[in-house]
Amino acid sequence: MTPITAPPPKARQWSWRSKAFRNIVYQVIALVAVVAIGAYLVHNTLTNMRARGIQSGFDFITQPAGFAIGESLFPFDSSESYGKAFLIGLSNTLRVALVGIVLSTLLGTLIGVGKLSKNFLIRTLCSTYVEIFRNVPLLLQLFIWYFVMTELLPPIEEPLRPLPGVFFSKNGLQYPIPVWAEGHWLTLAGLGLGAVGAWFWRRSARQHMFATGVQRPMVWPGLLIVVAGGVLGWLVGGMPGGLDSPEKTDLNVIGGGAVTPEFLTMLIGLTIYTASYIAEIVRGGVQSVPFGQHEAAAALGLSRGQEVRLVQLPQALRVIIPPLTSQYLNITKNSSLAVAVGYPDLVSISNTSLNQTGRAIECISLVMACYLTLSLLTAAFMNAYNKRSLLKER
């Protein structure tokens, strides 16, 4: 019997008759054409700018900015550089985008599941929310919320006090903050250890459920472990308890932490608007799960909440995550509308720098590079999470 041998590898044919060779040639030509067009545009732009006496280059980054920033996570003085001003604008963009992503995900998930509720009132309210906020332009919603923040709220002399030590007025929201001490490092370390312990508890509970079919509680014990770790770290660190609480004076509220009406406008507007889209994504993802899964959950005696949390949502993730990634990208990019309400985000800082330096191309390039980097990082993280959530076939 003649033994079966593998066919010899095909030799590359470097001739025009080879389809692979022609594809390589076409790609090289296209790449050269793109580079040549880009080089021509850059050269033409620089030539015209020199002819008109317009300065170019990124040397202005190290020059003093000469303007103040009304709200920032880090202290900034007008004598500091444009580079730091751009970083402050980027931090403000990340601040509103990251918090908006978390809040819109939670709100959108609740509303999306609520649209599938058997309760008529809940289902109707959730559907009404989606239809209203999804079909009103975001910019118009921002103007409405800004009007509420700056016109309908009471003045700073008569602020609302929803909680002790919390003041809410046209000047924004003031609240108590801890006075930082060395012992807080141990508190943070304790919270980190508690989070690790909660992860191990969740893993152990899942393994026990798969082995015996008996489900152990995961949410409340996990939270208890995290809180216990934080309290233990706080005790070991000497129990630091100083609070910087805001105080009401005759004309103002001083002390504590504060967020401006502009930040609240952006956060509320982005959260409510994006949550309406996420709700539809969650609803569609849950409805994509075969009806047989519902019957199986009912046969096992699972409640409606357990069915959604343990059966439907895990299987719906493979449908939910790709469009959810687009909404996360939209939140980051839609935050550029902050310039309309005066929130000092990256675009606002860029516009001020452009007006003072005249470096339009450079400022726009920096903004494009920042948004491109943020979008690529968001997409990479969500793609990695999507791979982990895919159903594993045996």
Side-chain angles (χ1 to χ4, degrees):
M1 184 175 179
T2 305
I4 300 175
T5 58
K10 294 183 179 180
R12 288 185 177 272
Q13 297 181 2
W14 299 102
S15 66
W16 193 252
R17 295 181 179 181
S18 172
K19 182 179 179 181
F21 176 75
R22 292 199 304 270
N23 290 339
I24 294 175
V25 172
Y26 293 150
Q27 293 177 30
V28 170
I29 293 175
L31 179 61
V32 171
V34 170
V35 172
I37 293 173
Y40 169 76
L41 292 176
V42 171
H43 175 74
N44 189 50
T45 301
L46 294 177
T47 301
N48 290 331
M49 291 175 65
R50 287 193 213 96
R52 289 164 175 77
I54 301 176
Q55 293 183 343
S56 62
F58 291 91
D59 57 307
F60 73 97
I61 291 293
T62 59
Q63 298 174 2
F67 60 86
I69 299 177
E71 181 177 4
S72 64
L73 293 173
F74 312 101
F76 179 80
D77 187 77
S78 59
S79 62
E80 297 184 88
S81 65
Y82 283 101
K84 186 173 182 180
F86 272 93
L87 291 177
I88 295 295
L90 179 60
S91 67
N92 285 342
T93 295
L94 289 173
R95 179 188 181 193
V96 71
L98 293 177
V99 178
I101 284 174
V102 174
L103 295 181
S104 61
T105 300
L106 296 175
L107 180 60
T109 301
L110 292 176
I111 294 174
V113 173
K115 288 194 67 176
L116 301 174
S117 173
K118 295 180 180 180
N119 186 294
F120 174 78
L121 179 60
I122 294 178
R123 187 172 66 251
T124 303
L125 290 176
C126 292
S127 299
T128 303
Y129 172 93
V130 170
E131 295 303 324
I132 291 177
F133 290 104
R134 189 178 60 166
N135 294 299
V136 177
L138 175 58
L139 185 59
L140 180 58
Q141 293 188 39
L142 292 178
F143 286 149
I144 293 173
W145 286 114
Y146 192 63
F147 175 80
V148 171
M149 293 291 172
T150 57
E151 297 295 333
L152 300 185
L153 288 178
I156 188 63
E157 293 82 6
E158 302 174 357
L160 299 176
R161 302 190 66 175
L163 294 172
V166 178
F167 299 89
F168 195 27
S169 66
K170 292 181 179 180
N171 280 35
L173 181 67
Q174 287 85 22
Y175 49 88
I177 57 175
V179 177
W180 184 259
E182 292 296 328
H184 284 136
W185 287 112
L186 293 176
T187 305
L188 294 178
L191 290 173
L193 292 176
V196 174
W199 180 81
F200 276 108
W201 169 259
R202 180 176 180 273
R203 182 180 178 183
S204 174
R206 288 176 63 89
Q207 290 176 348
H208 183 266
M209 183 182 66
F210 292 150
T212 64
V214 179
Q215 180 185 1
R216 292 175 175 174
M218 290 188 287
V219 177
W220 292 112
L223 289 176
L224 182 61
I225 292 173
V226 173
V227 172
V231 171
L232 180 61
W234 178 70
L235 292 174
V236 174
M239 298 183 294
L243 279 179
D244 181 10
S245 299
E247 297 181 359
K248 175 71 173 62
T249 63
D250 294 336
L251 300 176
N252 205 346
V253 176
I254 58 175
V259 290
T260 63
E262 291 78 16
F263 174 80
L264 292 175
T265 297
M266 288 303 305
L267 182 60
I268 294 173
L270 285 174
T271 298
I272 291 179
Y273 178 76
T274 309
S276 63
Y277 286 89
I278 293 179
E280 283 295 276
I281 292 171
V282 172
R283 177 198 60 78
V286 172
Q287 288 184 326
S288 70
V289 178
F291 188 74
Q293 299 295 314
H294 165 72
E295 295 175 329
L300 293 173
L302 298 181
S303 65
R304 177 60 177 168
Q306 290 175 325
E307 176 189 345
V308 172
R309 182 167 54 89
L310 300 176
V311 178
Q312 293 183 330
L313 280 179
Q315 296 184 65
L317 281 178
R318 68 185 191 277
V319 179
I320 292 175
I321 291 176
L324 187 64
T325 302
S326 298
Q327 293 307 315
Y328 288 170
L329 296 176
N330 285 339
I331 286 184
T332 305
K333 291 182 288 188
N334 287 338
S335 66
S336 61
L337 294 174
V339 67
V341 296
Y343 179 67
D345 73 322
L346 182 62
V347 175
S348 177
I349 300 299
S350 173
N351 288 341
T352 304
S353 302
L354 188 155
N355 292 331
Q356 293 192 175
T357 63
R359 309 291 178 88
I361 295 178
E362 291 81 356
C363 291
I364 294 174
S365 299
L366 289 174
V367 173
M368 290 175 60
C370 289
Y371 279 110
L372 179 61
T373 302
L374 293 178
S375 297
L376 291 177
L377 290 176
T378 303
F381 174 79
M382 293 301 294
N383 287 337
Y385 181 66
N386 188 35
K387 290 181 180 180
R388 291 192 58 185
S389 64
L390 291 177
L391 296 179
K392 306 297 189 298
E393 297 184 358
R394 297 180 180 178

